[in-house]
Structure formats: C-alpha cells, structure tokens
Amino acid sequence: MNDATPFRGPRLDRRAFLIGGTMVVAAGAAAARIPVPDVSPIANDKFKALVPDTIGPWKFQQSSGLVLPPDDALSARLYDNLVTRVYTDPAGQTIMFLIAYKNYQDGVLQIHRPEICYPAGGYKLSPTLETEIPLPGRTPLPANAFSADGNQHDEQVLYWTRIGDEFPLRWSEQRMAVLRANLMRINPDGMLARVSMPSDDMIASRPVMVKFVEELRKASPPALRRILFGPLG
C-alpha cells in the first residue's frame, strides 16, 4: 500500500491573485502616463534641406570648421539632427551657423549648451551674458552671448535654445522647462541654434550676428521657422 501524499503545486489563493492583478494594473497605468514625443522625428536629409543656402547677403560656403559637441556615445544620442554651415557675404564677413535638434527632451538626455563644447575644444570663455535678439513682429528672442579665446582664432558666439514653447537661458531653466512639460504628459522637442563669428570684438560682431538671425528668419521655410523660433515663428 502506497501511502505517499501526492505532490500538489503551490496554491494560488485569492489574496495573491488580487495583489498580482493590482500590480499589473499599476504597471499599465504607469506606462500610460509616460510622456510620448510631442513632435515626430525629421529625417536628416529632409532636415538639411530646410536650411537655406542663401540668407540675406550671406551665401553657403562649406559645412566644416565649426566647434562641435564632444564626439562620444552620449552626444550621439542627444540629437536627431545636427547641421553646420559656414556663410560669407560680399564684404567678406563670415558667419558660422549650427542647429542641433531632437524631437523629444525627456529630462535624462538634453541638448548640450555651447559652454560645454567650446572648452572641450580648447577655448577659454568669457562670462556668458544674457541678451535679446530683436525680431520684427514678435517679442524679442531670449539669447546668450560669450567670447571664446582659442589657440588659432577667437570667436564671438550668440545662441538660443528652445524647449517646446520656452526659450531657457540657463541649464536649470532648461531642466525645469522639460519637467513642466513632462508633468503635463508632454515630451517636448528641443533645439539649439548657434551663430558665431571669427572675431575678438563682441561689440562690433553682435550687430552682424543679429542681422544674420533676422535674415535667417525671413529666409526659413515655415517648418524651420517653427523649429528655430517656436510657434510665434
């Protein structure tokens, strides 16, 4: 006579079932609250085609010679699109232009600011000054400016960043702009636009760079105007 007790698997009682079900529902709710990108990504060739070759009196010359973000695995994930252009006008004034864009900013990966990439390229920077770029028909564009002293040449730099509908001037403001959008379940796009000139004279260079930005706005197609200047265009 075999009196061994037959093996029975673990009993799934009602309490365990309810706990497991609750966890599944909670996980689903959390996933549903993750912000999704507010803007679709743009293919690189389509993005580059948006940038005009002629901007006022300036003509596109080449795509090399600009100070770029550090070339590492992290920076490769920071941008969907990175366009660099060098323009010159009939007077021989050179403008270097960079656009870095990503269709979402999630609070973990965010666009670099130029104060990071210039020192990485061996430049010494002046203090960053907050300024505004006057643009006809809309509120002035919040921007930053600094001088970069390099071994080969000096540059004067004017740049602005856009996170969704905001134009943060500082890294802390940039992070807060992303946080505010994420709390509203929005994953905003992010953009850095940088205009620079090879010069050691900020006072003389500033009006030239501002004029370039004004002409850039006029020459840009609607899609690029939104990317650069936000919903007000």
Side-chain angles (χ1 to χ4, degrees):
M1 177 176 179
N2 187 0
D3 59 355
T5 303
F7 173 77
R8 301 181 188 275
R11 186 165 64 93
L12 184 63
D13 59 24
R14 181 178 176 81
R15 182 170 179 272
F17 180 81
L18 289 175
I19 291 174
T22 301
M23 292 177 67
V24 170
V25 172
R33 292 190 60 83
I34 295 175
V36 297
D38 197 39
V39 180
S40 299
I42 304 173
N44 278 317
D45 55 348
K46 183 177 180 180
F47 191 92
K48 290 178 180 178
L50 293 174
V51 183
D53 290 341
T54 299
I55 298 175
W58 283 275
K59 306 290 184 182
F60 169 59
Q61 297 297 320
Q62 61 185 21
S63 298
S64 60
L66 280 74
V67 177
L68 298 176
D71 186 15
D72 54 31
L74 178 60
S75 65
R77 296 171 60 197
L78 294 177
Y79 313 109
D80 294 321
N81 311 100
L82 180 64
V83 176
T84 61
R85 294 285 184 91
V86 177
Y87 295 84
T88 59
D89 69 2
Q93 297 181 112
T94 297
I95 291 286
M96 294 171 285
F97 179 50
L98 176 148
I99 310 174
Y101 178 76
K102 189 170 183 64
N103 76 306
Y104 71 89
Q105 303 286 296
D106 61 6
V108 178
L109 296 176
Q110 295 187 41
I111 53 175
H112 280 309
R113 300 179 80 82
E115 290 89 345
I116 295 175
C117 56
Y118 271 87
Y123 288 83
K124 296 180 180 178
L125 307 187
S126 70
T128 298
L129 301 175
E130 295 181 5
T131 185
E132 292 182 334
I133 302 174
L135 295 173
R138 60 157 290 166
T139 56
L141 187 66
N144 285 319
F146 62 82
S147 299
D149 183 5
N151 294 326
Q152 302 298 322
H153 69 272
D154 297 341
E155 283 189 29
Q156 304 305 318
V157 181
L158 180 68
Y159 79 91
W160 69 97
T161 58
R162 181 184 61 77
I163 303 293
D165 296 343
E166 300 188 41
F167 295 87
L169 291 169
R170 304 180 184 90
W171 178 256
S172 58
E173 294 176 359
Q174 183 173 313
R175 292 187 65 85
M176 288 302 298
V178 174
L179 178 60
R180 280 191 292 269
N182 287 173
L183 289 174
M184 295 186 291
R185 298 183 62 192
I186 296 172
N187 215 329
D189 62 340
M191 185 280 315
L192 161 71
R194 191 185 81 202
V195 177
S196 59
M197 289 186 69
S199 172
D200 60 0
D201 188 343
M202 172 58 82
I203 294 177
S205 299
R206 182 78 63 84
V208 179
M209 293 189 290
V210 168
K211 180 63 176 176
F212 179 86
V213 176
E214 293 175 353
E215 296 294 342
L216 171 65
R217 182 169 174 248
K218 294 177 185 177
S220 296
L224 183 61
R225 288 184 71 169
R226 193 208 70 80
I227 290 170
L228 290 170
F229 305 106
L232 294 179

